[in-house]
Amino acid sequence: MNIRPETPRTKGPLVFLDMDQQALDEAYDQEIYAPNRALVVERRKAASDRARAILGKPSRVAYGPSEHEGLDIFDCGVKGAPVNVFVHGGAWRRNVAADYALQAEPLIRAGAHAVLIDFINVDQAKGDLFPMYEQVRRALAWVWHNAASFGGDRDRLYVSAHSSGSHLCGVALTRGLKEESLPPDAFKGAVLLSGMYDLAPVALSKRSSYVNFTQPMIEKLSGGRYIGDLHTPLVLAYGTCETPEFQRQTRDFAAAVKAAGKPVELLVGEAYNHFELLETLANPYGLTGRAMLQQMGLVAK
């Protein structure tokens, strides 16, 4: 499904698959397919303010030495409870953990701790995605090593993520756990929404105007190339009103994981765009929120 109005134009030379440069650029530009992004972001921030008012301020903990390396911990009050770590998106360029506090409330109500992580963005890293990936990887490792310090069960750790956060998690859950010397099954499940798992086509798009793509970056930060190292059951999701490339990337990654004999479930959000789909994660009865709780063995309350 594509609700974006088509403007007749002359197609240029093909750059990737059946797309010319303009089509590929648009396929990695969410706002062209989701013109209501600003409204959805405003709703999310307001909902996060309400969640903090209800749940109380989270504990703020540093997982590394830089100013960017911190995480917010929402404690459900149950010792030995499962933990869900959320990794936000934002085209690698924007957003902070505090803007996603609404993700914590359904988890807290269901009896799980919620951890939201902060990390450097690509502009702060001067176009380099490696510092973002390395910080996300270290944050996940910190939670595994320190879960008991806030009442979490290290044997019941889960991940949820959106957009560029899903990209970073796709790398962290394949090659990253090994790089942190963690058990391959350190995380028992992940719900990844609207992610990218191969950077090769992304590097050909206009995102190269702010990301300094290199061949080592494309190779090492494409999670779909390391499925052999994946030992985390996945739920992958995309919306039918997302860009064609975000839909394809998720479908192709799900198919590759399934072909490798790894556990994966693919969810398709009918009539959701890229930003609206994330709203279902904070809803215990929403498409992806329900899947997250089921994966964790929790019941919505």
Side-chain angles (χ1 to χ4, degrees):
M1 180 177 179
N2 179 11
I3 62 172
R4 184 176 68 96
E6 293 291 342
T7 302
R9 66 179 181 83
T10 301
K11 194 169 188 176
L14 299 185
V15 176
F16 180 73
L17 298 178
D18 62 346
M19 290 174 282
D20 64 5
Q21 190 63 62
Q22 180 177 333
L24 184 62
D25 287 345
E26 292 178 353
Y28 284 101
D29 185 342
Q30 297 298 346
E31 292 189 64
I32 290 178
Y33 287 77
N36 66 338
R37 183 188 77 86
L39 293 175
V40 177
V41 169
E42 188 175 342
R43 287 202 299 261
R44 169 165 49 79
K45 291 182 178 180
S48 291
D49 288 340
R50 290 194 298 272
R52 275 188 296 272
I54 293 167
L55 300 175
K57 291 181 63 175
S59 300
R60 182 70 174 177
V61 178
Y63 65 85
S66 79
E67 61 181 314
H68 308 290
E69 297 171 80
L71 44 81
D72 290 348
I73 302 173
F74 288 89
D75 186 340
C76 71
V78 178
K79 296 297 183 183
V83 181
N84 190 284
V85 184
F86 178 74
V87 184
H88 70 74
W92 298 306
R93 305 186 82 175
R94 53 182 174 257
N95 298 325
V96 293
D99 293 341
Y100 295 86
L102 77 165
Q103 303 298 337
E105 189 167 4
L107 290 161
I108 296 298
R109 301 299 181 199
H113 305 294
V115 178
L116 288 70
I117 69 173
D118 274 316
F119 43 91
I120 197 170
N121 67 45
V122 73
D123 294 326
Q124 293 164 333
K126 297 180 171 50
D128 189 356
L129 293 179
F130 279 106
M132 298 185 71
Y133 159 63
E134 290 162 1
Q135 288 182 13
V136 168
R137 188 186 74 201
R138 289 202 300 272
L140 295 177
W142 187 95
V143 174
W144 186 83
H145 285 293
N146 296 279
S149 69
F150 56 87
D153 182 353
R154 189 170 77 174
D155 293 325
R156 289 190 293 165
L157 301 183
Y158 297 83
V159 176
S160 56
H162 177 241
S163 193
S164 55
S166 293
H167 159 254
L168 297 167
C169 282
V171 186
L173 293 174
T174 51
R175 56 176 297 154
L177 299 183
K178 183 187 300 183
E179 291 171 341
E180 289 293 328
S181 300
L182 296 184
D185 63 345
F187 290 83
K188 307 307 179 187
V191 178
L192 306 182
L193 282 60
S194 311
M196 295 169 286
Y197 307 99
D198 185 354
L199 291 184
V202 191
L204 300 174
S205 78
K206 66 181 181 181
R207 292 199 181 202
S208 62
S209 66
Y210 63 88
V211 179
N212 298 326
F213 288 106
T214 63
Q215 279 308 123
M217 181 186 295
I218 293 169
E219 175 61 32
K220 294 180 180 180
L221 298 187
S222 292
R225 304 185 185 193
Y226 299 93
I227 291 174
D229 291 326
L230 177 67
H231 299 278
T232 303
L234 299 180
V235 174
L236 304 175
Y238 69 88
T240 59
C241 295
E242 296 207 50
T243 82
E245 271 297 272
F246 275 74
Q247 295 188 47
R248 182 195 65 79
Q249 285 254 10
T250 299
R251 285 195 304 267
D252 286 1
F253 186 51
V257 173
K258 183 177 180 180
K262 313 273 183 163
V264 60
E265 179 181 2
L266 179 63
L267 301 179
V268 179
E270 294 294 336
Y272 285 101
N273 69 31
H274 185 76
F275 305 101
E276 294 164 342
L277 186 67
L278 178 59
E279 294 184 304
T280 73
L281 188 64
N283 179 351
Y285 305 105
L287 176 70
T288 59
R290 186 190 299 272
M292 176 181 66
L293 294 182
Q294 287 177 343
Q295 185 184 66
M296 298 179 69
L298 301 175
V299 177
K301 295 180 182 179

